Amino acid sequence: MVSTLFDKVWRQHLVVEETKETPAILYIDTHLIHEVTSPQAFQMLRDKGLKLRRPERTFATSDHSTPTSKANSDGEFIFYGEQEKYQVEQLKTNCEDFGITIFPLGDKKQGIVHVIGPERGITQPGQTIVCGDSHTSTHGAFGALAFGIGTSEVGYTFATQCIPQRKPKTFGIEINGELSLGVSAKDVILAIIEQIGIGGATGHVIEYFGTTVSGFSMDERMTVCNMSIEAGARAGMIAPDKTTFDYLEGKEYAPKGEDWNKAVSQWQQLYTDPEATFDKHIQIDASKITPMITYGTNPQMAIKIGQKIPVKNETQALKYMGFSENDDLVGKAVDVVFIGSCTNSRISDLRDAANIFKGRKVADKVRALVVPGSHEIKQQAEAEGIANIFIDAGAEWREPGCSMCLGMNGDIIQSGQFCVSTSNRNFEGRQGKGGRTLLASPVTAAAAAVSGVIVDPRKLM
Amino acid sequence: MKKFEKLNTSIAVIDIENIDTDQIIGSDHLKITDKKGLGQHLFSDWRYLANGENNPDFVLNRPSTRAAKVIVTGDNFGCGSSREHAPWALLDYGIEVVISSSIADIFSNNSIKNGLLPIQISETQQQFLLSKNGEGIEVDLASQQIQCDDKLIGFKLEPFAKYCLLNGIEQLDFLFNNESKITDYENSLVS
């Protein structure tokens, strides 16, 4: 049978095939949970007197509501408010009550759920992975079928280790060519979303492939897959290869010894057969991509830095942002720069940003936050001397978490402020009521931080 | 879950494309550990002025559309975050049906599990309904038809979603009914 990568993973997890009347039942290998979308699912278990079918397949961490400031001298974390504190404590209690492994706040393994899954080797090729978070698509970088679910399905996964699913369509995105200096995986995915649109992949699972993708590191692959949801895709996937195996080998939860060899030989079968076709297929020339930035209130509203805001009748978005058609963003003053989130908080993102910060200072009146994706990344950045580059430049070097990506923990921007952010969503009010977000890569964000205005980062390289 | 009954109500039009779940319910309101009281925060950045008072220009604050149980919106409703708080907030407010030319996958999945009916229609039909703010509408799930202004519009819905909504059935029961097959699958992994 000729199959795509998606078909292979889908078929291997079918408990019951779909019929005209009923959806397929899909087995879930790995379930990741966090404090925001799980409490009501635990309550459902309690209300119905249920327990977890496979507690060893669920892993928990706190990331959304957690403070990014250090614990005080008594080891206590200062939360934004009582609700945030209760939510984080409640997750810990729920995990203890139901026998779930948790990497809690204060633990050396804690971090953003989509950063620590891969980092611990929990994320593996060919798995089905769900999490009550739309950026679960990140894990598709390993050749897993990984997608976001709502709280009801978190409960279903707890109780049955399965979810009902209709088979999605497939969308092949072939990316070939070399990226030029100053252009990153973030620019690639922003360029793709600009091209296909915020709903362009609704109902589809994207597979990214081509020479550019094969040449990407795992960090870069995760950045691309992470934002698949911003084009409406159910998931994004990349076939596993040597880069994937090298990344995973030796990780805490990765198979060891003979099991490792067995696993790799199975993972090597996870690719799209040459004769297989996708429901949709586009080609992207990576060599033509230049640094990107968004100007509006969804990730599709993006331009090449240096281009003018297009005439597209996006009245409401431009009014919110305080921009006009034909405006040039270069030279616009920025108030805040945020480097972090499940899109761009990994060590290579921090290294890229540090190269710009090195020997420079954060511009007057700019607040720059650098929030590593996990404690492991934080420690690595400190050991490499990168953290000191941020600190010497005058940026805030903070504790891991989702932070200003969605501002649930109090890391917010003020109404009317402009924030160049390496996160994934520039929706109205996402980073704080009335705040205006411009999405960009770590180098572009760093360049804005040291310049005080939006600049083409290549001018600083 | 409550059965979805035939509905006679009025339409509230929000003629905006790509309404994301952050607009439906902002992250400030995701800090609860139950599902209660989200309706008051529905569309809060649009519904309330900076001083906390109702924005008189927002459709759900106008007398003729305040009690509407159907919203008709621009393309790609519910995109973005997977937060199930979005359908919880809509239902808690009193909205039972969302109509658009396209509705985001996760939002649609979440809605069905809570008794909120997501209806996708053609762009022409959407344009017609976008011009009917405040007017009466009948939504009949059993026959998969909407009636507005003597115009009858049929809509498609995934058969299992229809079955669950009409009968008030939780999808968890469907999974439990297949428990022996789940066990068989798990046993096949071990061998």
Side-chain angles (χ1 to χ4, degrees), chain B residues 4 7 70-73 77 96-103 107-108 111-112 116-122 125-126 129 137-141 144-146 153-157 165:
Chain B
F4 190 94
L7 198 62
V70 172
I71 56 170
V72 178
T73 77
F77 183 81
E96 294 182 35
V97 182
V98 175
I99 304 177
S100 177
S101 53
S102 74
I103 297 177
F107 175 82
S108 195
S111 295
I112 288 156
L116 177 73
L117 172 61
I119 298 181
Q120 297 194 48
I121 51 176
S122 74
Q125 292 164 339
Q126 176 198 30
L129 289 177
I137 187 168
E138 183 179 271
V139 180
D140 184 10
L141 175 57
Q144 292 181 232
Q145 281 181 327
I146 301 165
I153 299 171
F155 61 89
K156 289 184 183 164
L157 189 69
L165 284 167

Side-chain angles (χ1 to χ4, degrees), chain A residues 366-379:
Chain A
V366 172
R367 179 186 180 200
L369 279 86
V370 185
V371 183
S374 69
H375 278 287
E376 190 166 301
I377 292 168
K378 182 167 187 271
Q379 282 175 347

